[in-house]
Amino acid sequence: MEKMLLSGNEAVAYGALAAGVKTVAGYPGTPSTEMIESLLKMDLPGTNVEWSTNEKVAFEVAAGGALLGYPTMCTMKMTGVNVAYDSLISIAYSGCTGALVIYVVDDPGVSAGMAEQDTRGFALISDLPVLEPSTLQEAYDMTKYAFKLAKAIQGPVFLRSVTSLSQSHGVVEVEPRVLPETGHPLMERNMDKYTKAGAKICMDQHQDLLNRLTKAGEIIAADGINQLHLGAADGAGVIAVGVANAYLKEACQKLAAAGVDVSQLSTLALHNTLPYDDGDIEKLLQHCSRILVAEELEPFTENRVILDAYKLGKKVEILGKNDGTYARINYYNAETLIKGLCKLLAVPVPESLAKRDIQPEAHCAARPITVCAGCPHRGTYIAMEKAIKKLGLKKSDVFITGDIGCTILGTTPPFEVLWTEVAMGASIPLAQGVVYAGTEHPVLASIGDSTFFHAGMPGLVNALQHNINLTLVIMDNYWTAMTGMQINANTMQSEQIHGWHALDLEQVLKGLGVPDLKLADPYDTEDMAAKLADSMQYEGVSVVLARRECAIQARRRKVTYTPVKLIAEKCVKCKRCITISGCPALQFEDGVMKLDPTQCNGCGICTDLCKPGALVKEG
Amino acid sequence: MQTYDIYLVGVGGQGVLTIADLITRTAFRKGIPVNYYPTKGMAQRGGFVKVQLRLGSSEVGPDISEGGADLVISMERSEALKAVRFLKTGGEFLLYDHRWNPAAVMLGKAPYPDLATVWDEIAAVGGKVYALSDKDLPAYEGRPVRDNIYVLGSVLAQTKITDILPLKDMEETIAARWPKVTAVNAFTLEAGEKAPLLAHP
Ligand SMILES: Cc1ncc(C[n+]2csc(CCOP(=O)(O)OP(=O)(O)O)c2C)c(N)n1
Ligand code: SF4
Ligand code: SF4
């Protein structure tokens, strides 16, 4: 046992290594990214670790290894489950011989954008067990346990975490890595299990799946994963799920210190939400007259408690989301639990713990984020605006769908050229739909390189087949940038690791037969605008491939551009450079323009905006 | 063991995470339970960053409740306002009075709070304010020093954090983390310890 300072994501990675994991595949997404990122930094002979093209691919890659009997894992943010789900539910029905663990991080409170969805809903539909750690040590321990459980039931298991746990760091005790087994893959050609050929096979698989879930419940009960503590009979009880357990302890300490008697509470600490722990829930229902259910996001457990109470025919008052004690949005903290406990115990919130009536944020300056200094996407947005102008149109005439990633920052000031942010790859079919709906003016879609390979290609194929009159701008910065610069299929060969291969996006587009394909450099906004304007007039699918490396990565790789200097005497203080580019390296302070040389990378985009020529390339 | 919660805020690129990381490493070395929870937003700099540090208990959840932080450290004047809500009534608040203007403020299209407004909001929850001016940031061999280490020096000199983490331990952590620049970091930390405090304007 070694004590290490680890994040929740890293604890899961170490847990998987201690379980002898053979393959780990995933697609980046805050808050889950560091799980694979930490593994990719280690030398792990015998274990395959990869960033896959998307979450469905990642799941399938992991599942393949589990079919051969090995422990494997796939990882994603909650949104990724939407993408992986088609294969996920199919494999759930089939089962697999090796332990297959699906690590998903939900994001209550939405630290990273996208829908505030609850993965347990998916697990319910696919009848898969869900384990929910509540501390960093548990993140490690339960990862190991998830492999054990998956092996025992011969089917996939969800390991569900939340942002606060996966992103926080603390001390975790870890064991050495267990080398993955090799040499005896199970070559099981089993049509009843691994195909869906016919009603009988499918219904048998459905029954087997339900049996596996029941078995999981028995194993979890035998292993004592959930902890029931019975306090005063006929009194108050609390059911807490995952991280809410840590907040329950904290809330009880604070309440006790404030003179509220919490010593007689009954508690059920749930570390597994599915299958429902009906046994413990019923014991608690029999014992208590009032029960509070504390779980972030959807009231899955709470609804089950209500159902179990109904089946028992016992009248128990149940506090949670159904009665409005809690909201279904946002994350919890000790305050959430204090509020619920006081209501449960019918005591007022002690003065010392009560909410203060203050609004300090009212004076705060808004701080919208924008693209970095030197970001190539800045050039793309400016070129879009210029192209629209060249065609004698207004921004409000031209519908431009956005996609997911740094590329979406064109929705915000000062650019405000993009209109939508839906889901990975949605930009292209959405634009097609806009074209079908009938617009007078050109329609554009915009997407990043990672997102294009993730789920953008089918949309482009569709537009090509149906000969849609739209212009696609692929903002190719070579990296999966928004989530912290992961390698994708489009990353240059010199930066690929473990013998991975780079794909040439231009060749891919040519191979698809894009009839009007242009390469552009977003640092040259005038040239890119001319190309864009031309493509926007093309009848059919046109693609502008805007290529330039992410500025942050280029800096890390020591790629340099000719520096830009500010000639103060020439500056007329029109502030056009800031108003149009919003570049953080350009600052107007105490009545003078300043250029921050530590931020400026010399992209030169502002030099084109500066009419008096105060911003120029050196030399 | 005594528990001690710290809420840190600032703007991406200011080194807020580094301050929290140094405190975390020091606690780890001393065997003090610690939970470090950064919320750093997207890949870009210039956005709101916060870190929640919980010392002294291994069983706490990562999020600090409103009115729960013993200490707030803010690296930026306006962002400080987002942390006031989390300060314990009567807690300590170390404010580095530095302006990082959003574009709209630079262009004169949006207001920016003055120091007195921020100070009064902290005082309204009974907070004890220790304010440093960015104008007092010293130079070392002609270059301004890293303000986050300067601020950390002041935190260690002014606040009750030293009951848990003595200055000496922090010096060791910093020296171990950047062995090549120990002289400038020692200078910066010491300058921070002696940093003059602003009076309410
Ligand atoms: C289904 C799904 N998976 C993952 C994410 C997380 N995510 C958001 S943006 C992004 C990367 C975008 O990369 P790219 O398209 O290359 O654009 P860039 O950020 O590099 O500009 C990812 C992986 C998500 N939002 N949805
Ligand atoms: S991280 Fe890269 S792609 Fe994202 S905004 Fe910054 S420079 Fe642009
Ligand atoms: S050249 Fe101009 S736009 Fe580009 S990073 Fe420097 S200041 Fe910003």
Side-chain angles (χ1 to χ4, degrees):
Chain A
M1 284 283 195
E2 188 190 349
K3 280 190 177 177
M4 296 177 79
L5 197 52
L6 298 179
S7 72
N9 280 326
E10 290 167 332
V12 171
Y14 278 93
L17 291 178
V21 72
K22 179 113 180 162
T23 295
V24 185
Y27 185 73
T30 316
S32 66
T33 312
E34 298 81 6
M35 199 305 247
I36 286 198
E37 216 145 58
S38 63
L39 291 173
L40 283 175
K41 284 187 194 135
M42 302 177 201
D43 182 29
L44 299 172
T47 301
N48 313 286
V49 185
E50 71 167 43
W51 284 128
S52 307
T53 311
N54 65 34
E55 292 86 351
K56 183 167 179 285
V57 171
F59 174 80
E60 289 150 355
V61 167
L67 298 196
L68 264 67
Y70 293 116
T72 64
M73 192 173 205
C74 72
T75 154
M76 60 200 71
K77 71 183 284 173
M78 71 293 177
T79 332
V81 184
N82 309 340
V83 178
Y85 205 62
D86 196 12
S87 288
L88 200 157
I89 197 163
S90 185
I91 290 289
Y93 276 60
S94 293
C96 45
T97 320
L100 173 55
V101 177
I102 309 154
Y103 173 55
V104 184
V105 188
D106 284 358
D107 192 18
V110 196
S111 70
M114 308 313 290
E116 195 185 30
Q117 62 188 63
D118 189 327
T119 296
R120 294 176 301 166
F122 282 100
L124 261 181
I125 304 175
S126 48
D127 292 300
L128 293 180
V130 180
L131 297 174
E132 306 209 35
S134 65
T135 62
L136 292 169
Q137 186 63 49
E138 279 178 22
Y140 174 82
D141 295 338
M142 295 194 78
T143 303
K144 281 176 55 190
Y145 184 73
F147 281 97
K148 192 178 145 204
L149 183 67
K151 182 75 184 168
I153 65 166
Q154 302 270 291
V157 168
F158 271 109
L159 178 67
R160 174 190 185 243
S161 180
V162 290
T163 305
S164 59
L165 184 61
S166 290
Q167 292 292 313
S168 59
H169 306 236
V171 180
V172 181
E173 286 195 28
V174 303
E175 298 129 307
R177 174 185 180 212
V178 169
L179 278 176
E181 287 182 39
T182 46
H184 51 84
L186 261 175
M187 299 295 281
E188 184 188 9
R189 186 169 188 278
N190 185 340
M191 297 297 106
D192 290 344
K193 197 170 167 189
Y194 296 132
T195 72
K196 298 276 183 288
K200 171 147 186 1
I201 286 183
C202 292
M203 283 192 291
D204 285 351
Q205 286 186 6
H206 195 179
Q207 189 56 54
D208 290 346
L209 169 67
L210 297 170
N211 296 347
R212 281 196 290 275
L213 189 63
T214 306
K215 186 171 174 193
E218 290 160 7
I219 295 171
I220 288 167
D223 290 338
I225 296 300
N226 302 319
Q227 290 100 35
L228 177 68
H229 161 79
L230 296 179
D234 218 23
V238 185
I239 299 177
V241 174
V243 286
N245 281 296
Y247 295 123
L248 175 61
K249 283 188 193 141
E250 189 183 340
C252 285
Q253 281 166 10
K254 285 189 170 172
L255 283 170
V260 176
D261 182 11
V262 288
S263 63
Q264 296 305 310
L265 274 182
S266 297
T267 54
L268 173 56
L270 289 180
H271 297 98
N272 124 265
T273 40
L274 294 173
Y276 291 115
D277 182 1
D278 292 319
D280 284 325
I281 293 173
E282 280 171 17
K283 281 185 206 143
L284 193 72
L285 280 165
Q286 295 285 18
H287 192 75
C288 297
S289 59
R290 287 162 71 80
I291 291 177
L292 171 75
V293 186
E295 60 188 323
E296 290 177 326
L297 299 181
E298 300 304 323
F300 290 120
T301 307
E302 180 187 333
N303 291 348
R304 184 66 168 206
V305 175
I306 293 170
L307 182 74
D308 284 345
Y310 172 81
K311 287 203 287 190
L312 281 179
K314 178 134 193 285
K315 181 113 191 63
V316 177
E317 199 176 338
I318 292 157
L319 280 64
K321 303 190 181 183
N322 286 281
D323 74 333
T325 300
Y326 287 142
R328 281 165 64 175
I329 62 170
N330 219 340
Y331 62 86
Y332 281 18
N333 57 21
E335 206 183 337
T336 326
L337 270 293
I338 287 171
K339 178 184 146 199
L341 286 171
C342 288
K343 191 168 171 192
L344 179 75
L345 298 167
V347 296
V349 175
E351 184 82 42
S352 60
L353 299 173
K355 232 183 170 57
R356 296 167 303 199
D357 187 16
I358 49 168
Q359 286 306 331
E361 301 84 358
H363 309 288
C364 205
R367 194 177 296 282
I369 55 161
T370 187
V371 292
C372 307
C375 176
H377 299 343
R378 170 176 291 108
T380 294
Y381 308 137
I382 292 175
M384 283 172 171
E385 262 198 86
K386 283 187 176 186
I388 291 170
K389 247 198 206 131
K390 274 185 202 295
L391 297 177
L393 300 170
K394 299 189 296 291
K395 270 202 273 186
S396 56
D397 293 329
V398 182
F399 201 111
I400 311 181
T401 57
D403 220 298
I404 314 289
C406 291
T407 59
I408 198 58
L409 290 164
T411 50
T412 53
F415 315 112
E416 298 176 305
V417 282
L418 306 184
W419 297 43
T420 60
E421 178 184 15
V422 176
M424 298 285 284
S427 55
I428 307 169
L430 214 59
Q432 177 177 344
V434 171
V435 172
Y436 274 172
T439 54
E440 267 179 64
H441 303 298
V443 176
L444 278 75
S446 62
I447 193 169
D449 51 328
S450 188
T451 307
F452 178 74
F453 279 121
H454 177 287
M457 274 180 72
L460 179 59
V461 168
N462 194 62
L464 285 165
Q465 186 205 345
H466 302 102
N467 193 25
I468 304 302
N469 202 1
L470 62 77
T471 301
L472 169 64
V473 182
I474 305 183
M475 300 160 80
D476 175 1
N477 62 1
Y478 296 96
W479 296 92
T480 309
M482 178 64 112
T483 43
M485 322 302 168
Q486 289 76 34
I487 296 169
N488 66 50
N490 184 59
T491 304
M492 55 286 263
Q493 187 59 49
S494 59
E495 296 294 323
Q496 298 280 345
I497 54 174
H498 301 313
W500 301 347
H501 277 282
L503 269 67
D504 182 348
L505 188 45
E506 189 187 358
Q507 292 303 322
V508 171
L509 295 166
K510 281 187 180 155
L512 288 174
V514 174
D516 180 57
L517 174 64
K518 296 188 183 79
L519 232 83
D521 176 4
Y523 278 180
D524 187 348
T525 54
E526 201 44 50
D527 179 67
M528 177 163 168
K531 286 175 175 159
L532 250 181
D534 189 54
S535 293
M536 284 158 74
Q537 289 166 288
Y538 180 81
E539 294 281 328
V541 177
S542 51
V543 176
V544 175
L545 180 57
R547 258 195 176 157
R548 183 57 82 168
E549 186 174 9
C550 158
I552 301 294
Q553 274 307 87
R555 183 181 289 257
R556 279 187 197 152
R557 298 192 324 113
K558 307 208 175 357
V559 176
T560 53
Y561 305 107
T562 317
V564 163
K565 64 178 173 191
L566 172 68
I567 307 167
E569 309 84 73
K570 288 198 184 169
C571 176
V572 296
K573 296 176 187 168
C574 66
K575 297 179 244 174
R576 235 177 85 89
C577 53
I578 297 182
T579 333
I580 298 177
S581 82
C583 176
L586 294 164
Q587 287 141 17
F588 188 74
E589 247 155 57
D590 309 322
V592 281
M593 272 301 306
K594 288 180 192 161
L595 187 149
D596 177 357
T598 63
Q599 287 200 61
C600 174
N601 78 338
C603 77
I605 290 174
C606 59
T607 59
D608 179 60
L609 301 172
C610 184
K611 298 296 171 209
L615 285 161
V616 287
K617 284 257 178 190
E618 275 177 22
Chain B
M1 185 180 270
Q2 182 195 352
T3 62
Y4 191 79
D5 292 337
I6 314 174
Y7 202 91
L8 299 97
V9 293
V11 176
Q14 280 196 299
V16 178
L17 299 180
T18 308
I19 299 179
D21 179 66
L22 290 169
I23 296 174
T24 306
R25 285 171 191 239
T26 308
F28 178 58
R29 279 200 303 123
K30 297 215 57 151
I32 299 167
V34 56
N35 195 85
Y36 160 95
Y37 176 26
T39 306
K40 47 186 187 277
M42 319 298 172
Q44 300 79 19
R45 34 182 285 152
F48 174 59
V49 171
K50 71 173 182 206
V51 185
Q52 305 182 67
L53 273 181
R54 312 202 70 178
L55 300 168
S57 168
S58 55
E59 289 205 324
V60 294
D63 278 293
I64 297 172
S65 296
E66 266 186 43
D70 297 279
L71 168 66
V72 170
I73 303 172
S74 176
M75 289 293 289
E76 207 270 346
R77 187 199 292 170
S78 175
E79 297 308 318
L81 291 162
K82 293 184 185 156
V84 174
R85 179 175 294 286
F86 293 91
L87 184 67
K88 218 174 230 170
T89 301
E92 296 180 302
F93 200 116
L94 198 131
L95 170 63
Y96 182 55
D97 191 36
H98 173 71
R99 272 182 84 137
W100 185 310
N101 285 335
V105 172
M106 269 191 266
L107 298 172
K109 290 184 195 154
Y112 186 91
D114 56 25
L115 178 59
T117 305
V118 177
W119 195 303
D120 292 345
E121 288 291 342
I122 303 168
V125 296
K128 169 100 184 74
V129 182
Y130 306 99
L132 311 183
S133 168
D134 59 358
K135 307 220 166 47
D136 293 327
L137 187 73
Y140 184 83
E141 292 177 354
R143 285 161 156 244
V145 297
R146 287 167 62 176
D147 47 12
N148 54 348
I149 299 204
Y150 177 73
V151 167
L152 185 57
S154 182
V155 167
L156 291 165
Q158 305 295 345
T159 73
K160 297 194 187 98
I161 194 175
T162 34
D163 296 351
I164 307 179
L165 298 180
L167 187 72
K168 189 177 70 53
D169 294 293
M170 184 60 73
E171 284 168 358
E172 286 168 17
T173 307
I174 294 176
R177 169 110 190 245
W178 297 285
K180 288 185 195 145
V181 285
T182 48
V184 55
N185 283 338
F187 168 86
T188 309
L189 198 68
E190 198 187 326
E193 282 165 50
K194 296 185 186 139
L197 297 177
L198 294 172
H200 186 289

